[in-house]
Amino acid sequence: MTTAIIDYGSGNLHSAEKSFQRMAAETGAGPVVVTSDPDVVAAADRVVLPGVGAFADCRAGLAAYDGLFDAIEAAVIAGGKPFLGICVGMQMMADRGREYAVTEGFGWIAGEVVAIEPADPALKVPHMGWNELVIDTPHPVLGGIGTGDHAYFVHSYHFRTADPAHRAAHVDYGGEITAAVARDNLFGTQFHPEKSQRTGLHLIANFLKWRP
């Protein structure tokens, strides 16, 4: 069982690779590969899409790798393989992003990526640092992770789902900010599990064992 972490030039994937390799070894989940090769993605059993920076930049970066998004979509949507989007990798599952300009997303989970606008003007944007999760919808990838557990965030925009049932968790930051989304074989975290210590490693282990 191979897990493919997609490398499309969006950030340093070293910490994510090490965290997934550690938990794959602990759970017996098989090899973890960092790749931009569509054939490797097509052959993988699970797909992880990280992303840092601006929505439009990540979308354009992914499109710059010939055949890569097609391979991801074939594996995940047609093939039903477990998918984990991290940060902007989660956001790109939306219909569109509204960061600087309107950019079309994957359209896998209905909703939009919108600016964080805290009700308290003392709260700064980007939302950066540790925050307490609130679990909205129980999910196998969140097994053993409860309301009050902490995760690490760095972002200025968040995924506002059209269907509340697709929001798996949120945090409070002058209002409710989406922390995780889920539908069918799709799961996404706004926070960085590879930087979220116990909570993050637990989530990665859950994902590697998940059979949607």
Side-chain angles (χ1 to χ4, degrees):
M1 300 287 282
T2 300
T3 300
I5 300 177
I6 307 301
D7 180 5
Y8 58 105
S10 175
N12 183 353
L13 302 184
H14 180 73
S15 60
E17 179 184 13
K18 293 302 179 187
S19 295
F20 275 85
Q21 287 177 340
R22 173 182 169 183
M23 300 319 294
E26 289 190 15
T27 60
V32 175
V33 296
V34 175
T35 185
S36 54
D37 185 334
D39 292 335
V40 174
V41 174
D45 300 287
R46 307 175 198 85
V47 178
V48 178
L49 183 67
V52 296
F55 186 103
D57 291 345
C58 285
R59 193 75 175 95
L62 188 58
Y65 287 77
D66 189 42
L68 184 56
F69 175 69
D70 290 340
I72 295 169
E73 190 163 56
V76 173
I77 301 302
K81 295 177 181 179
F83 175 87
L84 176 63
I86 297 173
C87 198
V88 185
M90 176 200 84
Q91 294 180 358
M92 287 193 291
M93 288 192 282
D95 292 320
R96 64 195 64 84
R98 295 190 176 277
E99 187 171 358
Y100 307 120
V102 176
T103 304
E104 294 303 306
F106 299 168
W108 291 358
I109 296 179
E112 296 186 332
V113 176
V114 299
I116 298 172
E117 298 178 335
D120 181 353
L123 295 174
K124 296 180 179 179
V125 177
H127 171 219
M128 183 180 301
W130 295 90
N131 207 326
E132 291 186 3
L133 297 172
V134 179
I135 306 303
D136 294 308
T137 307
H139 192 280
V141 179
L142 294 172
I145 298 169
T147 293
D149 285 340
H150 288 76
Y152 188 82
F153 293 79
V154 183
H155 64 126
S156 300
Y157 290 75
H158 78 115
F159 192 156
R160 189 165 60 199
T161 60
D163 184 344
H166 293 154
R167 192 180 77 174
H170 72 275
V171 295
D172 179 45
Y173 193 72
E176 294 185 357
I177 302 295
T178 298
V181 299
R183 180 179 73 80
D184 303 329
N185 60 312
L186 310 172
F187 196 87
T189 63
Q190 181 62 63
F191 57 92
H192 287 269
E194 75 280 9
K195 297 178 181 178
S196 295
Q197 298 180 5
R198 185 199 68 83
T199 298
L201 292 174
H202 199 95
L203 184 142
I204 290 169
N206 287 341
F207 173 73
L208 293 172
K209 295 182 287 187
W210 183 34
R211 301 289 186 270

